[in-house]
Amino acid sequence: MSTRTQPAPRTPERLLAGSPVARRLVHEAAARSAAVRRVDLIGPGGHGKSVLLDALAAAFAAAGATVVRDLPGSVALGADDVLLLDDAHLLGPDELEHLAALAAAPGGHLVVAHRPWPRPTGTAALGAALAAARPPVVLGALDRTGVAARATLHLGAEHPPVELVDHVLERTAGVPGLVDRLLAALVEEAGPDRRSVPLPDRPPAGLLVQLGYVLHGLGDDVCGLLLARALGAPLEAEVLVPLLGLADDGAARLDEQLEAARAAGVLTTEGGAIPLVSAAVLARTPQASRVELRRALAEIELNRGGSVLTAARGLLGTGASGARIAEVFTTAAGEALRIGSSSAGELLDAAVRAGGSALGLAAQRAEAAVLTGDLELALTQADQVLSAPEQVPPGEAVRAGTVAAAVLAHRGMLARSAELYRWMGTALGPELGSAAVLAVPALIGTGALDEARKVLHAPPSAAGAPPRPPTLLAGAEELMAHGVYDSVAGSPTAALSQLTRAASLLESSQRAALLPDTPAALAALVAVHCGELDVAQSVLERALRVRLGGRGAVTRHRLLLGWIALFRGATPAARSALAAASPPGARLEPRDELLAAALDVALARRAGDLAVLMTAWGRAREAIVRHPVDLFVLQQLGELWMAATRLREASWVRPHLDEAAELLARLGDPALWAAPLHWAGLQAAILSESREAAQRHAAALETAAGASRYAAAMAAAAPHWVGMLDSEVDAAGVEAAARGLHAVGMAWEGGKLAGQAAIRTRDRKAMTALLGCARALQSSGPAVRAVAVDADAAIATAPGGIPVTPAAEPETPDTAPEGDGPLSEREREVAGLVLEGLTYKQIGERLFISAKTVEHHVARMRQRLGSGSRGELFAHLRQIVGPGTD
């Protein structure tokens, strides 16, 4: 028996950082409060019981009490006596009975600390005696605030790095002893500069060795359990009893091991593995033993139909082989595919190396390749199965066919995709079952409306197979099929609703479905055709956020966001999206390349830069050759039609336009999809001065006006474009039509209509109003550079070569500079475009003024700046407005 009345050698405030419960007890002890007359202190190993007892001893001693740390022989404590007893769970029955008597007797203070397990005979009586004074005090793990407090002490800094706190909390599960050990090791590795503490993927080797010896002291049984948990074994007796080789009473022994591990603080209170402890036990276990235990775990899980994914991942790269291991890898790959994990391909490759059938696994390997965006590998693997469908189970042939059909669609071969679906319906009908709805988007996209209708309206049992279970994926596929069908033969609003809901369902399914296109992309296309740009942008942004459709769909979603930004007039955002999706040197799949090329051409056309447009057109010509026409690229085809006409290369798109017309005719000329193509035809007719073609497309737009407000806006604007061929301008009607285009997301088109009408009208008041309207519309989109217009210089040759009768009054450029600079605001704008390398005509098209007016501006700037040559003028302009691009 020993007595101590001096404070503990360590500072209590430092030791109790992050533990409010411990601090409160110490404060109560310092005040000799009745609240600490009897305290049952419970906590696993490493949770600070001994540290707290030291702090209590110091507090009681400072308050004048006599502190006793060993069990006394007396049956009662004096009024000034304080008994602080640690590790009560190690006491025998007689000692516990004596301690219970001391707790029941009046007088003194008694604090008993112990682990929650073991619970020897006499523990219940002692607990009841202590609980009569106050409920037990249980020490738990530190939370984030507690870890931060400990980190503050170790670093000597008031605000430890957030990354450090999160790292330590995640590795230690907040066990105070482990927190202190890890922090000390990390600070030691950091050296004198504690502001930059390393956060290694693997804990310091010295710490792992140190912890390994601590764990060894817990016994082989506990270490075996820790190793099993570290390797991913679930906390289930059905797995752990055979894995650990426990006897007939294995369940009882397992319970003891779990209690011992939790009480030692090396498993969480819920039995979860602690990463730092797992790393230590793995580090001290030989590789051969780890592999053997992983193999046993995998086979146990395989036998009982449980999850083998964790065990199989652990076996990767270990050289494990054999039929059972191949089965493990194959089963694990199936799990990975269901959750959309990119590890599926690696697991299937391992299954083949372990002895699995390459052909038998080819369909799954194809599906796994889609997840990682490797479409070449996906198509190669799927083709192996489709080349010998009789050598694989019918279900695997369906899987391979579905993969191939999806990849072909992504590569722009939607007709081949539809043909493959037809083959599967014929050769594998009973196995394909109601999954045939996958064919609907491809069938409709290639004009096979009657076939698509039959698939949708066929009873589920018609194929001879039971209906599919109502999974999220099945629901998304059904909605997508009906949405695409309604976009052609039903209500566009219903189509948009169904496609948007399909995207939402697929988000929740957490997998990259094997579809001809993602429902998010189709929903965005329909939304754009309806003039609902906010809906289109929202569904695509959600798709990108959750990586809907896997890695291969990211590029398409980004490009479609760029397409939407283009419609909004946000050309910088559109360029950014194009650059992100199609960086220099990138090789896109044909469908994505066509969209990227169309976006590139559209940006150049809107900028009025003929040189850039010609460069972009070179890319577009190759893209259009590689991609056949289908329903879902008609809007991009229309953009290329306008550019080709502008560059006098319409022959490049004519065969595709003929195919598009035939496709729309087979579908019954659905207004939703046909209207944008007719709008493009109208613009091409205006550029080529073809009155007959312009009137034909305007009539078609009038017919389609009821399909959506988007079609109605184009239909309202079409007659004004036709009228301008004769310089007939209804100023009020033009302005209303231009604002209607802007309202459905066609900001640039609305501004162009108003600007071109202003150039053609002879009424100066109407000219001024229309130019103001053009300026307002083209500068109102987000992140769009304002377009300046000049009412006194709105007489020119129109873009596209349409002759315009000049107004009665001559053009007059600005003559006086504004502000303190040498150039007026208009002159600075012209100067910037000159430095960009644009011609006078291109600048005039950009600013809605004539080339002659631009020439007057340049001459006046040269005179005002005293420039003796063109080179000198450029030098002066660079000093004033910036370097430009010349």
Side-chain angles (χ1 to χ4, degrees):
M1 188 185 306
S2 62
T3 301
R4 289 194 294 166
T5 57
Q6 73 278 7
R10 293 178 288 181
T11 307
E13 290 296 315
R14 180 181 181 87
L15 295 170
L16 303 180
S19 178
V21 173
R23 285 178 176 275
R24 185 165 58 251
L25 276 178
V26 172
H27 292 158
E28 290 171 350
R32 298 290 296 275
S33 169
V36 289
R37 198 177 69 81
R38 297 290 183 269
V39 180
D40 188 7
L41 184 61
I42 305 172
H47 280 61
K49 300 184 300 299
S50 300
V51 169
L52 177 55
L53 289 181
D54 285 346
L56 290 172
F60 276 120
T66 300
V67 178
V68 179
R69 300 299 296 266
D70 292 328
L71 189 64
S74 60
V75 294
L77 296 173
D80 291 333
D81 288 344
V82 176
L83 174 58
L84 305 177
L85 194 64
D86 202 358
D87 292 333
H89 56 280
L90 300 179
L91 298 178
D94 293 340
E95 293 171 307
L96 288 171
E97 183 180 354
H98 183 193
L99 195 56
L102 287 174
H109 295 268
L110 174 61
V111 180
V112 179
H114 59 94
R115 293 182 179 181
W117 188 91
R119 292 179 287 274
T121 303
T123 302
L126 173 60
L130 294 171
R134 69 178 290 169
V137 175
V138 180
L139 297 180
L142 300 174
D143 57 13
R144 195 176 184 283
T145 302
V147 174
R150 294 294 178 100
T152 296
L153 295 174
H154 280 274
L155 294 175
E158 186 174 352
H159 300 292
V162 173
E163 297 80 5
L164 173 65
V165 174
D166 291 340
H167 176 83
V168 172
L169 180 59
E170 188 273 330
R171 291 302 181 95
T172 63
V175 175
L178 297 178
V179 168
D180 286 333
R181 286 178 185 271
L182 181 55
L183 281 170
L186 293 175
V187 168
E188 183 179 355
E189 283 201 344
D193 184 11
R194 296 188 176 186
R195 294 171 299 178
S196 179
V197 178
L199 301 178
D201 293 334
R202 180 178 173 82
L207 174 61
L208 294 181
V209 172
Q210 182 187 86
L211 283 177
Y213 283 110
V214 173
L215 297 175
H216 180 70
L218 299 177
D220 292 341
D221 288 347
V222 171
C223 284
L225 173 62
L226 293 177
L227 178 59
R229 295 292 283 140
L231 295 177
L235 199 62
E236 299 177 31
E238 186 180 358
V239 175
L240 290 175
V241 167
L243 183 64
L244 299 177
L246 302 179
D248 294 337
D249 60 343
R253 290 183 57 191
L254 178 62
D255 286 342
E256 290 184 2
Q257 292 178 19
L258 285 170
E259 291 285 4
R262 281 194 289 249
V266 291
L267 287 179
T268 67
T269 53
E270 297 82 15
I274 299 173
L276 182 58
V277 173
S278 295
V281 74
L282 288 171
R284 66 175 285 109
T285 304
Q287 169 72 6
S289 298
R290 295 201 303 269
V291 171
E292 186 57 34
L293 196 62
R294 287 186 194 277
R295 185 178 187 130
L297 172 60
E299 294 195 7
I300 290 170
E301 289 286 18
L302 193 63
N303 290 336
R304 76 182 193 119
S307 172
V308 298
L309 185 55
T310 300
R313 282 171 173 162
L315 287 171
L316 288 171
T318 63
S321 61
R324 289 287 286 172
I325 294 300
E327 188 178 356
V328 166
F329 283 133
T330 302
T331 305
E335 288 185 53
L337 286 173
R338 285 192 293 274
I339 63 175
S341 171
S342 59
S343 65
E346 188 179 7
L347 290 165
L348 288 166
D349 290 342
V352 173
R353 289 194 299 270
S357 166
L359 180 60
L361 297 175
Q364 292 186 65
R365 294 171 81 190
E367 186 175 350
V370 172
L371 290 177
T372 59
D374 190 346
L375 301 188
E376 188 69 37
L377 177 61
L379 199 55
T380 300
Q381 293 290 330
D383 195 59
Q384 289 182 20
V385 177
L386 296 176
S387 298
E390 69 284 351
Q391 298 182 30
V392 297
E396 289 302 289
V398 169
R399 188 200 296 259
T402 305
V403 170
V407 173
L408 288 170
H410 193 76
R411 291 195 156 181
M413 291 180 276
L414 198 60
R416 291 289 299 156
S417 177
E419 187 61 32
L420 188 51
Y421 281 122
R422 289 190 186 96
W423 175 82
M424 286 194 292
T426 301
L428 308 170
E431 290 296 330
L432 188 62
S434 57
V437 295
L438 288 173
V440 171
L443 292 171
I444 291 178
T446 54
L449 182 59
D450 291 338
E451 284 187 68
R453 186 183 293 114
K454 289 178 182 178
V455 170
L456 285 176
H457 296 154
S461 59
R468 300 170 71 195
T471 61
L472 292 174
L473 177 59
E477 292 169 353
E478 291 277 354
L479 283 170
M480 189 174 75
H482 284 280
V484 173
Y485 179 81
D486 280 345
S487 76
V488 171
S491 163
T493 302
L496 181 57
S497 174
Q498 291 177 105
L499 290 169
T500 304
R501 284 185 284 140
S504 297
L505 280 179
L506 204 56
E507 289 172 15
S508 304
S509 73
Q510 297 182 340
R511 61 171 291 166
L514 303 173
L515 306 172
D517 204 349
T518 70
L522 293 173
L525 286 174
V526 171
V528 170
H529 282 72
C530 291
E532 299 293 343
L533 299 188
D534 288 340
V535 175
Q537 183 168 336
S538 174
V539 73
L540 288 172
E541 287 175 344
R542 284 175 60 88
L544 278 174
R545 193 160 52 247
V546 302
R547 298 188 71 81
L548 181 68
R551 188 179 303 174
V554 171
T555 298
R556 179 155 175 79
H557 293 158
R558 282 179 174 167
L559 288 171
L560 285 171
L561 277 173
W563 192 253
I564 292 166
L566 177 79
F567 272 73
R568 288 187 182 280
T571 50
R575 286 193 182 94
S576 296
L578 177 60
S582 178
R587 185 176 181 274
L588 304 184
E589 294 295 337
R591 183 170 64 184
D592 294 336
E593 177 60 20
L594 181 65
L595 179 54
L599 183 55
D600 201 6
V601 163
L603 287 167
R605 193 171 67 84
R606 282 158 175 74
D609 192 329
L610 191 60
V612 174
L613 178 58
M614 291 178 68
T615 302
W617 176 244
R619 175 184 187 180
R621 288 196 307 181
E622 182 178 352
I624 202 171
V625 167
R626 295 176 62 203
H627 195 295
V629 170
D630 63 56
L631 185 67
F632 309 118
V633 300
L634 295 186
Q635 203 169 49
Q636 292 83 50
L637 178 61
E639 181 61 49
L640 298 179
W641 186 2
M642 290 182 279
T645 305
R646 175 72 183 278
L647 297 173
R648 304 181 187 277
E649 293 201 5
S651 60
W652 273 95
V653 296
R654 176 50 54 193
H656 288 72
L657 295 173
D658 293 341
E659 289 183 38
E662 293 175 6
L663 169 64
L664 290 170
R666 291 197 302 271
L667 293 172
D669 286 314
L672 180 77
W673 299 99
L677 194 61
H678 284 301
W679 174 262
L682 172 66
Q683 299 302 310
I686 296 295
L687 287 169
S688 60
E689 303 179 51
S690 175
R691 174 185 300 280
E692 181 183 354
Q695 289 177 332
R696 185 174 67 253
H697 289 298
L701 286 169
E702 181 64 27
T703 303
S708 66
R709 64 192 191 107
Y710 180 66
M714 291 187 289
H720 296 289
W721 276 113
V722 176
M724 279 191 282
L725 285 172
D726 294 326
S727 296
E728 295 177 0
V729 176
D730 173 6
V734 166
E735 183 169 348
R739 295 190 183 279
L741 290 171
H742 180 274
V744 296
M746 301 176 72
W748 185 82
E749 288 82 356
K752 181 182 178 184
L753 174 62
Q756 293 301 305
I759 292 174
R760 289 162 175 77
T761 185
R762 295 173 179 273
D763 185 336
R764 288 185 58 82
K765 183 177 179 181
M767 179 195 304
T768 302
L770 288 170
L771 286 170
C773 175
R775 177 175 59 233
L777 295 182
Q778 289 202 343
S779 64
S780 60
V784 181
R785 177 185 176 186
V787 178
V789 291
D790 188 347
D792 293 328
I795 307 165
T797 297
I802 302 177
V804 179
T805 304
E809 297 184 8
E811 308 172 39
T812 307
D814 298 330
T815 57
E818 300 175 6
D820 299 329
L823 302 180
S824 69
E825 181 181 350
R826 169 49 55 82
E827 287 170 343
R828 292 178 65 88
E829 190 167 20
V830 171
L833 296 175
V834 167
L835 290 175
E836 288 182 18
L838 272 64
T839 65
Y840 291 169
K841 182 179 178 181
Q842 290 169 345
I843 295 171
E845 292 176 0
R846 182 81 66 89
L847 302 181
F848 297 109
I849 60 178
S850 70
K852 191 67 174 177
T853 300
V854 176
E855 184 179 355
H856 283 314
H857 279 303
V858 173
R860 187 167 295 276
M861 286 188 288
R862 183 171 177 175
Q863 180 182 5
R864 185 175 296 139
L865 298 174
S867 305
S869 65
R870 180 178 175 84
E872 192 174 340
L873 172 63
F874 272 53
H876 288 155
L877 293 181
R878 289 190 186 98
Q879 292 177 354
I880 296 171
V881 300
T885 59
D886 183 64

